[in-house]
Amino acid sequence: MTTKNAFDVLKERGFIKQCTDEEAVRELFEEGPVTAYIGYDPTATSLHIGNLFVTMALMHLERLGHRPLVVVGGATAMVGDPSGKTEMRQMMTGDTIGDNVSSIKQQLSRFLTFEEGKSILVNNADWLMEFKYIDFLRDVGRHFSVNRMLAAESYKQRLERGLSFIEFNYQILQAYDFMELRRRHGCVLQMGGDDQWGNILAGVDLTRRIDSELVHGLTFPLLLTSAGEKMGKTAKGALWLDADRVSPYEFYQYWVNVDDADLEKTLGFLTFLPMEEVRTVTTLQGRELNMAKSILAYEVTKLVHGKEEASKAHQAAQSAFGSREIPAELLVSSDVPRKVASNTAQIPTKELANSELAEGVTLVDMMVQVGFDKSKSAARRLINQGAVRINDVKITDGAYALSEADFQDGAMTLRSGKKKVHRVVLKGA
């Protein structure tokens, strides 16, 4: 069986936005194992869904016998990438960056095989922190045109608001990274989000000027919803991969509620399901479309949190929103549990003391407490509109007070609309 060309795989799944030379890059993957890198700036202790998106490209390469090279930017994080930002990033201390680097290394090891050498992980602080400023300006900085740098989209967007000198140097440092990685590891391809195109081209050009070597770059489309918004933005902030920040159940719920128009694209980007299966979801409607979203949610949660947590989240969602037996012929390569028993253990749960209930708790109060709404007026408006249910019974009285009758076997299921669910359980005190 012939191994697929990695470039063709990435293109088929929608990863390719821009490329320095498509035919040349495709030929590289045809000739033998390719070392390709993506950089990660350690700006937090956890990666988010946008990082997972680009990591998927490296995972495809590893599976096809190529060598992913991960660069954690311990040095460049001290400068801050202005790409995609409307203002300067908050400066972090060396200790904070060091903690972030350690956490991100640990997370990335869940997706790529560093121990066996199939993938490589390095920190650009290993070479950038050793430079003397004047030497770097003379040896590297002289190859950069200020006019050309200011023409880059990432800089143009910032000029009106203000671009600091330290940020202005970021492109030079990233370009040097590419050249250094070719020297150290034979890296011939840099990949990244489309906002990195100017930085990638700078590295290609610097490597040609100083080392007389040809390297290539390609970018991915930004991970956006059909409405043009960044995917992975929630009411609580970013969709983090750390279970302590976003629970597996909450993570699962995000994906089961993606827009219909985003389903095919997201399955292509964030799962390994064959594209011939993925393309079939464009013909689905109603119940089958929702079941396909359940498979998407299960597959992405399994990738990030493991099969056990994905199964628990899937089971809990089925319990909370109505069990759906998923047909065997729908996205057949998924190992999603097609039929599950009821399990409410993973549903977000709040404890309510009997004494509190006796003193009086309104439905509006409870909706605010469980985080359905930030204000009582917003909660009351939803109740009046008939969007709130207790144990599947619609409540339309904005002054409704909870009572023991609302609790079945000491528990109550509270729903707001089609997406929000929370359990409230009574405790003795």
Side-chain angles (χ1 to χ4, degrees), residues 234-290:
T234 72
K236 296 181 180 179
L239 192 62
W240 299 102
L241 307 189
D242 185 343
D244 290 334
R245 291 185 180 224
V246 177
S247 73
Y249 178 80
E250 292 174 305
F251 188 84
Y252 177 101
Q253 281 301 306
Y254 177 87
W255 299 109
V256 86
N257 289 308
V258 296
D259 191 272
D260 294 354
D262 294 325
L263 179 59
E264 180 189 16
K265 174 178 70 176
T266 311
L267 282 165
F269 284 154
L270 298 177
T271 79
F272 290 101
L273 299 178
M275 285 304 294
E276 55 266 27
E277 294 179 22
V278 169
R279 282 189 283 268
T280 65
V281 303
T282 58
T283 64
L284 301 179
Q285 294 181 349
R287 185 177 177 84
E288 282 195 330
L289 188 64
N290 289 331

Side-chain angles (χ1 to χ4, degrees), residues 1-67:
M1 180 177 171
T2 304
T3 302
K4 289 185 177 180
N5 184 287
F7 185 84
D8 293 340
V9 170
L10 294 180
K11 191 165 188 177
E12 180 185 32
R13 303 191 78 92
F15 279 92
I16 310 298
K17 179 68 182 290
Q18 297 190 78
C19 184
T20 50
D21 186 334
E22 287 199 9
E23 285 302 316
V25 172
R26 189 184 186 284
E27 186 62 30
L28 278 177
F29 284 115
E30 203 68 42
E31 292 173 353
V34 171
T35 300
Y37 103 87
I38 292 176
Y40 298 74
D41 270 343
T43 54
T45 56
S46 174
L47 300 174
H48 52 68
I49 197 62
N51 301 129
L52 177 65
F53 170 50
V54 299
T55 304
M56 287 293 294
L58 293 180
M59 294 171 74
H60 281 293
L61 296 194
E62 186 182 272
R63 288 180 171 212
L64 292 168
H66 301 286
R67 189 170 65 159

Side-chain angles (χ1 to χ4, degrees), residues 91-143:
M91 298 292 284
M92 296 183 294
T93 66
D95 288 343
T96 298
I97 292 172
D99 291 341
N100 293 350
V101 167
S102 297
S103 297
I104 288 174
K105 283 181 177 180
Q106 187 174 9
Q107 277 192 333
L108 285 168
S109 66
R110 287 158 35 193
F111 305 112
L112 297 165
T113 314
F114 299 117
E115 293 80 5
E116 300 172 18
K118 292 182 180 180
S119 294
I120 303 170
L121 190 148
V122 296
N123 185 341
N124 64 13
D126 292 345
W127 55 85
L128 290 179
M129 298 298 281
E130 301 300 318
F131 273 118
K132 294 180 179 179
Y133 185 60
I134 299 300
D135 291 340
F136 188 76
L137 288 179
R138 288 173 59 87
D139 296 339
V140 179
R142 65 188 179 90
H143 294 286

Side-chain angles (χ1 to χ4, degrees), residues 366-384:
M366 185 55 63
M367 289 180 66
V368 173
Q369 288 181 37
V370 301
F372 280 1
D373 293 284
K374 293 182 179 180
S375 69
K376 292 184 178 182
S377 59
R380 189 174 295 108
R381 188 160 47 249
L382 283 174
I383 296 171
N384 293 334

Side-chain angles (χ1 to χ4, degrees), residues 305-322:
H305 297 293
K307 185 173 181 177
E308 182 179 354
E309 290 297 333
S311 296
K312 289 179 181 177
H314 179 65
Q315 191 176 32
Q318 296 285 66
S319 302
F321 296 99

